[in-house]
Amino acid sequence: MGKIVRTTVTTLFLCLLFPIVFSTSNDRLVRIGLKKRKLDPSDLLSARFVSKEGEALRGSLGKYHHHGNLQDPKDIDIVALKNYMDAQYFGEIGIGTPPQKFTVIFDTGSSNLWVPSSKCYFSIACYFHSTYKSSHSQTYKANGKPADIQYGTGSISGFFSEDYVTVGDLVVKNQEFIEATKEPSLTFVLAKFDGILGLGFQEISVGNAVPVWYNMVNQGLVKQPIFSFWLNRNPADEFGGELVFGGMDPKHFKGEHTYVPVTRKGYWQFDMGDFLIDNETTGFCASGCSAIADSGTSMVAGPTGIITQINHAIGASGVVSQECKAVVSQYGDKIIDMLLAKDEPKKVCSQIGLCVFDGTQGVSMGIESVVNENAGKASGSLGDSMCSACEMAVVWMQNQLNKNQTAEHILDYVNQLCDRIPSPMGESSIDCKSLPSMPNVSFTIGGKLFELSPEQYIVKVGEGDAAQCLSGFTALDVPPPSGPLWILGDVFMGQFHTVFDYGNMQVGFAEAA
């Protein structure tokens, strides 16, 4: 997505997903089969801890303006706050003649096409992904204009080139795109995709590059100036869904679409009404909010006031808080015993198996800095998060022992502190067994309620007894006049077939089939 909020070497699992690409001649629709990957706990932690940059950017939304062509200084740079680490849906394109294949996220929240360049020599990420080789293409045209895109959890820089881009059986001629020569963030090392194909408006295109979608329309390659997403949310089905260029497939939806006009070109932004929990108004958007339909964001992001109400209603708690409490529950007594035995505090967590290194994780740092470090852990693994939770617990317990507190008091005190730890990327977990008691939630769009059940807004990570359940909602505050703002990502778009009508400048939603 462009903005949001809106995803290891331990996660590496670098299963690049090469989707089915096909089209049918009878309806003249161009269909891009999407591959879907299941999230596992290490993917989840990669998304959460891969970079503290994302959290810093979230906290200073008002300071970030768009790097594209929007002129209003109050415009929020959604692209700069984007985290693709937990993205689940990918498609395949080709660049050049003959086509060189790349796995990309089709992202309605940004507008540029970029892939790694063979001229990327000093970024590890480029060695884990397909790279574009201009010398291998008969249709390459040099451009050379520099380009830079800052995301919430990393950045890419490089230069513009031109070549033919194959999407399904469409060939877009002379498409300007970015050859990324620097991908310094670990985010792109761990990513399951090679690049991004933006489907937003030219107004937010870095370098004012004409988006791929515009050229599809301008070159007469599609039947209608419409594209549509059907995301398959059935966890048992490996087929991820379809992106259809040139129209929509009636088999992908039920009933009629509700259309709302695009209120601000740049993102696919529209007006949204009240948000309801269990059919009761939250009041926050009763006078109206803005929303963005964003295929590049996995979760649904909204104002903190509403997200807090949602998480309270569904019993969600901070993910890091839960991990901290797990450490206290499983290892609290042992840690206290080790500290009483005068074991070196910095080595306690490694000695009980939660940390790999002896005292190199920063136990002596202030608690605030340890929490911040969680947001930027390089490996993003489950072990890293448990290690950080252990280190914090050791600091707290040692301080209480120095005050001659009892073990019972210390464990209770540390549990209370666990409750106050913020989740670095704003995500919250819940007890998977509590789904039947959770309320439905509803979005008001075009005067109609679009309802999500708990099974639809809860993201399940992992399988069986080891499965974790996450709230599909995350907090993101955009100040007026751009906000309050919702980002409707895959959690929403998976339940409602979404039509992006470029010809009539509107977005449509209908129940997904």
Side-chain angles (χ1 to χ4, degrees):
M1 123 201 133
K3 163 191 178 191
I4 248 205
V5 151
R6 21 359 305 85
T7 223
T8 348
V9 195
T10 96
T11 295
L12 260 144
F13 242 76
L14 282 175
C15 30
L16 294 180
L17 303 160
F18 292 103
I20 305 164
V21 180
F22 60 94
S23 66
T24 56
S25 56
N26 57 342
D27 58 12
R28 293 180 58 201
L29 298 179
V30 178
R31 307 161 187 271
I32 309 300
L34 301 177
K35 264 291 193 184
K36 174 179 63 177
R37 71 181 178 94
K38 293 181 179 178
L39 292 177
D40 65 18
S42 58
D43 292 321
L44 170 65
L45 287 161
S46 296
R48 193 180 308 129
F49 296 119
V50 72
S51 173
K52 62 185 175 184
E53 291 176 88
E55 182 66 10
L57 286 171
R58 284 171 187 259
S60 53
L61 257 176
K63 299 178 183 177
Y64 285 84
H65 308 311
H66 207 276
H67 300 165
N69 309 305
L70 295 175
Q71 298 302 313
D72 188 342
K74 295 185 177 66
D75 284 323
I76 299 301
D77 187 356
I78 290 174
V79 174
L81 295 167
K82 213 166 177 60
N83 178 9
Y84 292 107
M85 282 302 301
D86 53 1
Q88 289 182 271
Y89 296 92
F90 306 89
E92 186 181 277
I93 65 169
I95 301 180
T97 308
Q100 301 171 39
K101 293 183 178 180
F102 297 92
T103 298
V104 298
I105 296 175
F106 290 97
D107 179 18
T108 59
S110 65
S111 298
N112 291 89
L113 168 61
W114 69 262
V115 295
S117 173
S118 61
K119 298 178 178 64
C120 177
Y121 304 118
F122 303 110
S123 294
I124 296 175
C126 295
Y127 292 93
F128 285 99
H129 296 90
S130 300
T131 58
Y132 170 75
K133 303 173 180 64
S134 58
S135 60
H136 291 193
S137 174
Q138 302 169 15
T139 46
Y140 162 76
K141 291 182 181 179
N143 180 308
K145 182 173 60 178
D148 176 79
I149 302 178
Q150 175 69 52
Y151 296 106
T153 50
S155 62
I156 67 105
S157 60
F159 57 91
F160 282 97
S161 292
E162 290 182 23
D163 210 332
Y164 286 16
V165 173
T166 303
V167 182
D169 62 359
L170 300 181
V171 178
V172 180
K173 298 179 180 179
N174 304 320
Q175 175 63 48
E176 199 172 14
F177 68 100
I178 297 171
E179 288 193 52
T181 56
K182 291 183 181 179
E183 299 179 27
S185 172
L186 187 69
T187 299
F188 298 116
V189 176
L190 309 179
K192 306 301 190 295
F193 56 88
D194 299 318
I196 309 291
L197 192 155
L199 293 169
F201 292 94
Q202 189 172 2
E203 278 77 357
I204 61 169
S205 176
V206 171
N208 200 32
V210 178
V212 173
W213 166 244
Y214 279 45
N215 279 330
M216 284 186 186
V217 175
N218 295 340
Q219 295 176 21
L221 301 178
V222 291
K223 180 181 178 181
Q224 300 179 73
I226 293 172
F227 63 90
S228 56
F229 274 89
W230 171 66
L231 302 180
N232 185 2
R233 300 296 282 184
N234 182 356
D237 195 341
E238 291 186 3
F239 183 56
E242 280 188 338
L243 165 58
V244 177
F245 290 105
M248 65 190 88
D249 188 336
K251 297 192 294 293
H252 288 165
F253 60 91
K254 303 174 185 177
E256 300 293 325
H257 286 81
T258 297
Y259 285 94
V260 286
V262 172
T263 55
R264 228 172 157 195
K265 285 176 66 178
Y267 308 102
W268 289 89
Q269 183 170 330
F270 53 91
D271 288 335
M272 192 187 95
D274 200 6
F275 180 84
L276 289 77
I277 300 176
D278 210 10
N279 292 320
E280 293 188 5
T281 178
T282 59
F284 199 89
C285 285
S287 58
C289 286
S290 292
I292 291 169
D294 188 355
S295 62
T297 296
S298 290
M299 304 292 186
V300 170
T304 296
I306 296 179
I307 302 302
T308 301
Q309 292 181 54
I310 296 171
N311 284 344
H312 179 266
I314 67 179
S317 61
V319 177
V320 179
S321 295
Q322 283 202 344
E323 290 162 355
C324 178
K325 287 191 170 187
V327 169
V328 176
S329 172
Q330 297 175 43
Y331 303 100
D333 289 325
K334 186 172 184 178
I335 292 172
I336 290 175
D337 289 341
M338 294 175 72
L339 292 174
L340 287 173
K342 303 302 181 181
D343 284 356
E344 186 176 346
K346 290 185 178 182
K347 294 187 176 182
V348 167
C349 295
S350 63
Q351 288 172 356
I352 63 177
L354 290 180
C355 291
V356 176
F357 305 104
D358 287 344
T360 62
Q361 299 287 332
V363 177
S364 62
M365 298 169 63
I367 288 173
E368 180 180 354
S369 62
V370 175
V371 174
N372 289 339
E373 183 186 13
N374 284 340
K377 283 288 187 182
S379 71
S381 68
L382 179 60
D384 282 338
S385 61
M386 294 294 280
C387 173
S388 296
C390 177
E391 290 176 331
M392 287 187 287
V394 167
V395 173
W396 294 331
M397 290 180 185
Q398 183 65 64
N399 287 338
Q400 291 298 299
L401 284 172
N402 291 340
K403 297 178 181 178
N404 297 317
Q405 298 290 349
T406 65
E408 182 179 358
H409 173 89
I410 292 171
L411 294 177
D412 180 65
Y413 172 77
V414 172
N415 265 317
Q416 291 179 42
L417 292 183
C418 286
D419 281 329
R420 300 179 184 274
I421 302 176
S423 289
M425 297 303 286
E427 293 150 341
S428 299
S429 69
I430 60 158
D431 183 353
C432 294
K433 296 177 183 178
S434 62
L435 262 69
S437 63
M438 293 181 191
N440 290 349
V441 299
S442 304
F443 299 81
T444 306
I445 301 173
K448 180 178 178 180
L449 291 180
F450 290 81
E451 189 172 68
L452 295 178
S453 68
E455 292 78 14
Q456 293 171 332
Y457 64 70
I458 295 302
V459 179
K460 197 170 185 180
V461 180
E463 302 291 341
D465 293 338
Q468 295 175 273
C469 287
L470 281 184
S471 167
F473 296 93
T474 186
L476 185 72
D477 292 306
V478 177
S482 298
L485 183 70
W486 285 86
I487 309 297
L488 305 185
D490 296 345
V491 166
F492 183 87
M493 289 177 60
Q495 308 307 324
F496 300 103
H497 180 259
T498 307
V499 176
F500 297 85
D501 186 344
Y502 179 71
N504 294 304
M505 286 296 149
Q506 60 184 3
V507 184
F509 301 98
E511 182 183 355

